[in-house]
Amino acid sequence: MNRFLTIITLGIIATSGIIAATFEPYNRSRLFWDISSRVLTISNGVYGRVYELQNGRMVSVAATSSGYTMSFSNDKGKTWNDQKALFKARGNRHVANPEVFQMSDGTVLIGYNERPNTPYGADHPFLITLRRSTDNCETWSEPITIYTGDYVWENGCWEPIFLELPSGELQCYFSDETPFKTTSEQYIVMSRSFDGGFTWTKPIITSYRAGCRDGMPVPVITEAGEIVYTIEDFGHPGYSGFRATTIRTTLEDNWTSGYVDGNSSRREIAFENPKVNATSRSHGPYVCHIPETGEYAMGWMGDYGDREGLNLDLDYYDMYVAVGDKDVRNFKAITAPFDMPMNEHATWISVAHISDGTIAAVGETINGIEMIKGRPMKSFSANYGTPAIDGDFHDDWTEKFGRQVKMGSTKRGTKYFDYLYDSQNLYFIATVFDKTIISDKTDNDGVYLSLDLGNLCSDYPIDGIYRFFFDLNGTVTLRSGSTIAGTNAGKWVKSDITSQIQSVVTLKSSYYIIEAAIPWSMLGCDTPPVNRTMRTDISIANRTDSELTYTSIVDSEEALPAGKANSHTWMEFTLNENTTGVSTPTADGTAKVSAWYDGSQVNVSTDGELISLIELFAPNGSLVASETPMSPQCTLTAGNYRGIAILRITTADNSNVTRKIVIK
C-alpha cells in the first residue's frame, strides 16, 4: 500500500494555498538524561570533576575544606567509595580548581590552584601546581610548581587544565591576571612540558581581549587537527555578561603566530545561533569529546530557560549542556541535566565522556559534588518482538523495561519510552512519573506520539505523517496529515478508525503506564518498513489544576496541541532487522492471530486460518504445553506455570507466528 511514498522526492508540495516544504533533517545528537543515575560523588566539595582512567576505573576530584579530595567508582559512576583527602595546599594557602588528566603513557596528573589565605604576603603567592602518579592514583609525587603568580587576591592565577599533543608535548592552560595590577583584566596563558610534566616553560599568552577577562579554559584536539578551547568571555559586542566562547589554532601553528585577540576570527561564540536567548549568560563552559559520533558536549552554568531575564545571583544558576559539531562549533540542543528548582543551584560544572557511551554532567549542589548521566542519541529504534499489551513494563522491549528513551528532570518527573514491532503492529510504551495525575478533565494528562513514516521532513502535516494522543481516560486520538487539495490540505485531520488500536492505561499513585499496538495497515504499510528511515517525536501533556503544559524532546519544533509538523526536527527512527529466527510474515495470506490469557487458560484465535500446532514455551526455551487443534480458535491450559511465556502458533499453511503473553 505505502501510499505516501509518492511524495518523498518532492521538495515543495503545494496544497490549496499552503506550501509544504521539505527540509534537511536534524542531524545532531541530543542528550537524554537519566534522572535515576543522579549520585553524590564527593560531599561538601567545589569544582567537581570526574574522569575515567584507562583501566576503566572512574575518579572524582574536588576541593574541600580538607584539601584535594578524591573518590573512585568501579561501576561507571553508579556508586562511589568513601572520599579521601589526599593533601592540603602548601603554606598559608588553600586548594582550588582541581583537575585530573591521564597521559597516553598511563601517567595520571592532578593539577590545582594553591590560593593564598589572608593575611596576604609575598611569602605565599598564588601557585599553579601539579602532582604525578604512575600507579593509577595509588601514590603521588611531591608537588611540582608550574607557575608562581602574585600574592594579592585581585591579581591571581586560576583554573589549570592539561592537554597532550600527538607529539607528546604536554600543555597546561590557565587564567592569569598577575600582570594587571591596576585593572581587572585577565588572559589565558599556556606552559609547555616536554618531559611528562617534570619541568615547564614560561607561559605564553594564547587569548586576550583588552579590557576583559578571558577565563576558565578547557582544551581539546579536533579530528581536523585544531587545538580548541572553550572560555567565558564577557566582551562580545551587543551582549551583557559572560558567553561561552571558543578559541582556536592549528596543531601545526601551536600558538606560534601569536594570541587570539578580541577581534580575531579564531574567537567565536560557541552557539549555533548566538542571538537566540541573547540575555542568557553562560559562565565557566566545559567541553568534552563524544567519540561515538565525533561531536562535542559543552556544559556551563547560567540562567537559561525559566531562569533567563531574572537577574539571578550566580548562587542560583543551573547547569546546562549542549551538543556541538565535530569542529567544536554550532552548539545547540540545550538541556538542563539537573533542572534545579529556582531556590537551588548546580554550579562550577564539568562534563566527561564515559566508555559506556554516556556523558557525565557534574555540578556543585547543596549536597556537594553530584553527577548525572545522559546518553547522546541521534535516533530511536524498534527491535522485532511482540509485547503483551497489559499496561505493565516487564516485557523485553528494545531496551529492558521499556527504557530506550529517558526524559524528564528533577522538577518535572522521570519519563521512559520505547518501541517494538512485529508483522502486524508497531508497539509503543510510555512510563511517566507524575505526582498530580489527572484523567477526568477535558484536557487530561497523556502522551503524544508522532510518526513521519517516509522521512518526509515537512513543515506542514502531509500524507504519511501521523500524530497519536493517548489520553489517560483510555481514549486514543489520531490525526494525520493531508496533501489532498481542499480545506484540510496541510492540516492535521482527525481520524475515526482508532478502534483498530489496542491500548491499555495503568494508573498508579505517582506514575502511569501506556501501552499501545498500532496496526501497520493504519499507517499505510502492508509490511513493516524495516529498510526505511523514518522520524518520530514524543511529547507529554501534563495537566494540573491551573494549567496544561507540554514536555517535548529538545529542539523538536512540533507545535502542540495543534499547528505545523516540522518533522525534519524529529528524531530519526528505524526498525531493526528481525533476529528472532521467526520469519516476518508477508502481507499476502498470513493469518492475523490474537492471543490472550483469560485467568484460567490461553486463548488463540485467527481470522479463519486453521491452527495446526500451538506451543507454549518458558523464556528458557522449555516446552510448557502444546495442542494440535486444526481449528481457527483454540485454548491451551498452562497448568501451574506463571510468568512471561512465548506462544508459537503454526497454521495449516506452515506459517509461524509468535506472541508473548503473561500468565498470572
Side-chain angles (χ1 to χ4, degrees):
M1 195 168 174
N2 297 338
R3 61 183 180 270
F4 56 87
L5 292 180
T6 57
I7 62 175
I8 292 177
T9 59
L10 300 181
I12 298 178
I13 303 161
T15 57
S16 186
I18 294 176
I19 302 297
T22 59
F23 295 84
E24 285 296 318
Y26 193 103
N27 62 359
R28 190 72 54 77
S29 294
R30 303 176 233 209
L31 283 160
F32 293 83
W33 300 101
D34 182 1
I35 305 305
S36 67
S37 69
R38 183 172 170 179
V39 62
L40 185 72
T41 68
I42 293 178
S43 61
N44 302 314
V46 294
Y47 288 106
R49 308 290 187 252
V50 300
Y51 192 94
E52 185 175 14
L53 301 175
Q54 294 167 7
N55 63 6
R57 195 183 192 194
M58 290 186 65
V59 58
S60 177
V61 299
T64 69
S65 58
S66 300
Y68 195 109
T69 301
M70 182 175 288
S71 63
F72 293 94
S73 172
N74 294 311
D75 53 12
K76 304 301 180 187
K78 184 177 180 180
T79 59
W80 294 83
N81 65 8
D82 294 337
Q83 65 195 53
K84 178 182 180 181
L86 298 182
F87 33 76
K88 291 181 175 291
R90 292 170 286 179
N92 187 22
R93 301 181 182 90
H94 62 277
V95 167
N97 301 129
E99 280 290 345
V100 59
F101 178 81
Q102 189 167 30
M103 297 175 60
S104 58
D105 68 358
T107 301
V108 180
L109 312 177
I110 52 175
Y112 53 101
N113 192 196
E114 296 189 75
R115 299 179 179 178
N117 298 323
T118 56
Y120 299 128
D123 61 335
H124 56 288
F126 278 88
L127 300 175
I128 301 296
T129 303
L130 161 72
R131 292 186 188 234
R132 304 173 80 256
S133 174
T134 56
D135 54 11
N136 285 308
C137 305
E138 295 298 325
T139 60
W140 296 94
S141 71
E142 291 299 310
I144 299 168
T145 300
I146 298 174
Y147 178 73
T148 301
D150 200 3
Y151 58 86
V152 178
W153 185 264
E154 291 75 14
N155 303 326
C157 55
W158 328 84
E159 303 129 12
I161 192 167
F162 301 103
L163 181 70
E164 184 181 14
L165 304 191
S167 64
E169 176 185 328
L170 185 63
Q171 298 181 338
C172 178
Y173 294 81
F174 57 95
S175 310
D176 190 20
E177 53 185 325
T178 303
F180 303 106
K181 308 298 185 185
T182 60
T183 71
S184 60
E185 292 171 283
Q186 179 175 277
Y187 50 32
I188 305 300
V189 298
M190 182 268 292
S191 292
R192 309 177 195 266
S193 175
F194 300 97
D195 57 7
F198 289 101
T199 60
W200 293 85
T201 65
K202 180 180 178 180
I204 62 169
I205 305 169
T206 56
S207 69
Y208 169 51
R209 186 193 288 273
C212 296
R213 292 179 61 85
D214 288 358
M216 305 196 74
V218 180
V220 294
I221 298 175
T222 71
E223 293 178 7
E226 285 191 309
I227 301 171
V228 182
Y229 61 77
T230 53
I231 60 167
E232 56 180 21
D233 176 2
F234 71 63
H236 289 285
Y239 294 88
S240 174
F242 283 110
R243 290 292 179 280
T245 299
T246 58
I247 305 293
R248 66 188 63 230
T249 189
T250 64
L251 274 170
E252 183 180 11
D253 179 78
N254 197 8
W255 309 111
T256 58
S257 60
Y259 65 82
V260 175
D261 64 21
N263 299 316
S264 174
S265 61
R266 295 186 287 142
R267 177 188 295 261
E268 302 169 282
I269 291 179
F271 301 105
E272 180 176 79
N273 187 351
K275 294 298 183 183
V276 175
N277 304 110
T279 61
S280 172
R281 292 164 286 190
S282 42
H283 286 245
Y286 202 105
V287 68
C288 74
H289 190 219
I290 307 174
E292 292 83 2
T293 65
E295 300 165 302
Y296 288 84
M298 181 182 71
W300 68 93
M301 56 181 179
D303 53 0
Y304 183 74
D306 56 5
R307 283 169 157 79
E308 187 173 357
L310 299 181
N311 198 30
L312 295 173
D313 184 82
L314 185 145
D315 290 339
Y316 297 98
Y317 279 4
D318 200 357
M319 178 181 184
Y320 304 93
V321 184
V323 179
D325 61 25
K326 295 181 179 181
D327 295 318
V328 203
R329 288 187 171 99
N330 303 313
F331 284 86
K332 60 180 181 178
I334 301 172
T335 53
F338 295 98
D339 198 19
M340 287 298 197
M342 296 296 291
N343 62 344
E344 294 187 33
H345 66 271
T347 53
W348 307 115
I349 62 84
S350 65
V351 292
H353 175 265
I354 304 174
S355 60
D356 61 3
T358 60
I359 297 296
V362 183
E364 175 199 339
T365 72
I366 58 175
N367 302 312
I369 304 304
E370 292 194 77
M371 184 190 89
I372 188 169
K373 295 171 72 173
R375 185 170 298 279
M377 301 179 71
K378 286 188 174 183
S379 63
F380 302 155
S381 65
N383 283 348
Y384 187 90
T386 305
I389 305 302
D390 58 2
D392 207 346
F393 51 73
H394 48 63
D395 298 295
D396 292 328
W397 288 77
T398 297
E399 288 201 9
K400 190 175 182 180
F401 302 128
R403 297 186 175 187
Q404 177 184 175
V405 183
K406 301 175 176 67
M407 292 174 59
S409 65
T410 304
K411 288 189 295 187
R412 296 174 176 86
T414 304
K415 304 162 180 66
Y416 301 113
F417 308 94
D418 212 341
Y419 306 79
L420 271 180
Y421 80 97
D422 61 19
S423 62
Q424 302 295 326
N425 299 300
L426 174 66
Y427 300 97
F428 177 69
I429 184 172
T431 306
V432 178
F433 287 80
D434 187 344
K435 296 179 181 178
T436 56
I437 295 175
I438 295 178
S439 60
D440 59 355
K441 306 294 183 184
T442 302
D443 296 311
N444 293 321
D445 289 337
V447 175
Y448 287 91
L449 170 66
S450 299
L451 298 167
D452 176 352
L453 292 196
N455 196 28
L456 302 171
C457 297
S458 173
D459 54 349
Y460 282 94
I462 57 178
D463 194 30
I465 298 179
Y466 304 86
R467 189 180 70 204
F468 300 84
F469 179 64
F470 299 95
D471 194 308
L472 289 199
N473 64 15
T475 63
V476 181
T477 303
L478 167 61
R479 287 180 169 83
S480 57
S482 175
T483 53
I484 301 174
T487 58
N488 289 328
K491 296 181 180 179
W492 292 112
V493 180
K494 189 175 181 180
S495 172
D496 58 0
I497 60 171
T498 55
S499 60
Q500 300 179 37
I501 301 171
Q502 182 185 359
S503 66
V504 176
V505 176
T506 299
L507 300 179
K508 299 292 185 178
S509 60
S510 60
Y511 69 93
Y512 61 84
I513 299 172
I514 298 170
E515 278 190 308
I518 304 168
W520 287 116
S521 58
M522 287 185 62
L523 303 174
C525 299
D526 295 328
T527 57
V530 175
N531 296 314
R532 183 189 304 160
T533 298
M534 300 174 281
R535 309 198 79 79
T536 186
D537 189 48
I538 302 168
S539 296
I540 303 92
N542 183 39
R543 160 64 68 186
T544 66
D545 291 335
S546 60
E547 63 179 350
L548 177 64
T549 59
Y550 300 93
T551 301
S552 301
I553 294 172
V554 61
D555 277 8
S556 176
E557 296 176 8
E558 179 181 2
L560 291 173
K564 292 186 176 183
N566 290 320
S567 64
H568 62 288
T569 67
W570 302 355
M571 296 290 294
E572 184 177 295
F573 180 56
T574 55
L575 305 182
N576 297 324
E577 291 283 351
N578 174 13
T579 59
T580 64
V582 179
S583 299
T584 302
T586 59
D588 52 352
T590 299
K592 182 176 181 180
V593 178
S594 299
W596 67 96
Y597 181 69
D598 63 7
S600 60
Q601 58 189 0
V602 177
N603 297 264
V604 182
S605 175
T606 74
D607 57 356
E609 186 75 19
L610 295 179
I611 301 172
S612 61
L613 175 64
I614 178 172
E615 299 164 289
L616 188 70
F617 296 92
N620 64 6
S622 61
L623 181 66
V624 176
S626 66
E627 291 285 349
T628 55
M630 293 305 295
S631 169
Q633 294 89 30
C634 67
T635 60
L636 186 69
T637 300
N640 295 324
Y641 183 85
R642 295 295 181 269
I644 297 173
I646 306 299
L647 196 64
R648 185 166 67 187
I649 303 103
T650 303
T651 56
D653 63 353
N654 289 321
S655 296
N656 288 318
V657 179
T658 60
R659 292 289 184 267
K660 184 184 294 184
I661 63 172
V662 179
I663 301 174
K664 299 182 178 180

